[in-house]
Amino acid sequence: MIELGSLNNPRAAQGFIDYLKSQGLDAKIHSADGSNVIISVLEEDFHQVQPLWAEFTQNPNHERYQQASWDVGSTQSPLKYQGQSLNLMARFKALSWLNQTVSILSLVIYVAFLLGGFNEIYTALQFNPSQPLSWLTPALVHFSAMHIVFNLIWWVSLGDNIEKQCGKLSLIGLFLVTALISNWAQYLMVGPNFGGLSGVVYGLLGFCWIHSFLNPNKPALVSTAIVGFMLIWLVLGFADVLFVGMANWAHLGGLVSGMAFAYTAKIFNAKR
């Protein structure tokens, strides 16, 4: 059998397996930790199953998959469902070193802010055009609980999807490129007083959006609904009608650089 894709929701994955069975297609599901599952199909069925997988990833909670489980008599799975245990530590350990490092550093810096070290730490990490390292460090600085939670959720989710489909080097390159361009864009247009991973997050979003557009036969890295929501959020930020201040130029710089990264990767792979 050949690997079709992976998912960190065993319950939803079982529904997809049952749906394939209801269509007369054979598939298997297996997992090393009981949470992250890999779906495999027969090699001769791969191209037939691909569009069904893409449709599933767009809306894994559609009722057709639950109904399929009832139809084929498989409402239980031998795997451990997320609903039984979040397994947050196991899921975090399954992330790459880059995903973990960026998350941990962001959390450590935020906690240090809360403990009274804001002035010293922020001064050291603030964007400074004469210090190349500071072209990256503002991405690790967050000013509120909502700020860091929002950014880390997207960073972990989009980053993990990109690594699984495109490889670790893609995420490393994306982080460096989008952090540099988004931070420089915000500095040049507004000034050095900013911080947050949202420029990188918009970079990952732009990459996922264009990569999925350029590779329609592969599972979508992000849904069109999420892309639409984030673009509306970007427009509202520039319109200055939100209750929070945002680094709008960092968001735009990250989005554009992430989109460009996807196009460049496509051209490079085609030539290679």
Side-chain angles (χ1 to χ4, degrees), residues 140-253:
L140 305 175
V141 176
H142 296 86
F143 305 112
S144 69
M146 184 179 71
H147 190 202
I148 191 170
V149 168
F150 182 86
N151 282 341
L152 288 185
I153 287 174
W154 287 113
W155 160 253
V156 169
S157 176
L158 295 178
D160 193 44
N161 289 345
I162 290 170
E163 282 191 312
K164 287 178 177 177
Q165 189 171 128
C166 306
K168 290 180 172 57
L169 289 179
S170 294
L171 184 60
I172 294 173
L174 271 168
F175 176 79
L176 294 175
V177 170
T178 58
L180 284 171
I181 293 179
S182 63
N183 288 339
W184 266 104
Q186 185 67 22
Y187 169 75
L188 292 174
M189 298 304 296
V190 179
N193 296 321
F194 65 92
L197 199 60
S198 51
V200 174
V201 166
Y202 266 94
L204 301 188
L205 177 77
F207 175 86
C208 291
W209 182 19
I210 299 303
H211 180 273
S212 297
F213 173 77
L214 295 175
N215 300 275
N217 292 328
K218 294 183 178 180
L221 291 173
V222 67
S223 69
T224 53
I226 290 176
V227 173
F229 167 78
M230 295 293 278
L231 291 180
I232 292 174
W233 190 260
L234 177 66
V235 172
L236 292 177
F238 273 104
D240 197 22
V241 296
L242 297 173
F243 59 92
V244 293
M246 299 204 304
N248 298 308
W249 291 101
H251 296 174
L252 182 60

Side-chain angles (χ1 to χ4, degrees), residues 10-11 14 34 75-85 87:
R11 188 185 298 275
Q14 184 63 51
T75 57
Q76 297 295 326
S77 169
L79 299 175
K80 188 175 185 180
Y81 289 157
Q82 283 182 317
Q84 295 172 319
S85 174
N87 289 319

